[in-house]
Amino acid sequence: MRLDIFTLFPQWFEWFETQRHVRNVVAAGSQVRFLDYRETTPLGAGQVDDSPYGGGAGMVMRVDVIDAALQAAYGDARGGRRIVLLTPSGRMFDDELATELAAEPDLTLLSGRYEGVDERVRDHLVTDSVSIGRYVLAGGELAAMVVADAVLRKLPGALGHAESALEESFSSALDGHPEYPHYTRPPTYRGWSIPEVLVSGDHERVRQWRRERSRERGAGEGTGA
Ligand SMILES: C[S@@+](CC[C@H](N)C(=O)[O-])C[C@H]1O[C@@H](n2cnc3c(N)ncnc32)[C@H](O)[C@@H]1O
């Protein structure tokens, strides 16, 4: 995958790119870039935003600035590239969308700032608008990181154990349910014991128990139980 993340704060991603799964996919041939809108803005003094038409508080990121950034990176050859705008009002990000994006050879994430971006970006420059939840962050960097993290860990070679990614929360292997509980040593702590079935050595019973717990969690999903 060739993943590009556009941002006004590329330094936010310095930690992200050191993470093992990110390093693993890069070592396996993927490319991950962090591109600064200010580097390519056609306006003077690194300007990227302007006041909103119609009045109101805050500033809006300009369409010509974002178009120039995309133009500098891809020229006119954007055809087929999935370009995702991070916005609170976009399609809700979930495991299904992460899987869909992980299948793309080329993916671009656009982080907004301030009051957001000129609506013509959404109308004309991107293929998708994606939200990571019904709340408002100060900027799209964390949202882009959430999407990139979930997508990159699905790529071959990202995780130490490829099986880790197969039977995970919301995966088809668990019929879309959350994952079952995990336990490790000690077997009893402050009187809290692990379920006996997990040390029974009966793999079929363990498998059955895990599927039941996963289904149960699915039924209680959203309650925090
Ligand atoms: C302060 S927010 C803009 C919020 C906007 N005025 C609104 O009310 O929807 C600035 C940027 O943060 C990002 N952002 C904030 N919350 C987000 C969320 N829940 N999902 C995805 N991106 C988000 C977007 O890129 C957005 O352009």
Side-chain angles (χ1 to χ4, degrees), residues 86-88 111-116 130-133 135-140 143:
L86 279 320
T87 167
S111 321
R113 272 273 154 178
Y114 317 122
E115 278 308 309
V130 169
S131 169
I132 62 159
Y135 44 79
V136 178
L137 300 164

Side-chain angles (χ1 to χ4, degrees), residues 3 5 13-34 145 148-153 155-159:
L3 170 64
I5 302 180
F13 295 90
E14 283 169 13
W15 166 83
F16 179 72
E17 63 182 335
T18 66
Q19 297 310 295
R20 174 152 339 154
H21 61 300
V22 180
R23 285 190 283 119
N24 283 349
V25 296
V26 169
S30 287
Q31 184 188 68
V32 183
R33 299 191 299 176
F34 308 101
M145 242 181 267
D149 192 278
V151 167
L152 291 178
R153 72 190 297 284
L155 299 186
L159 306 179

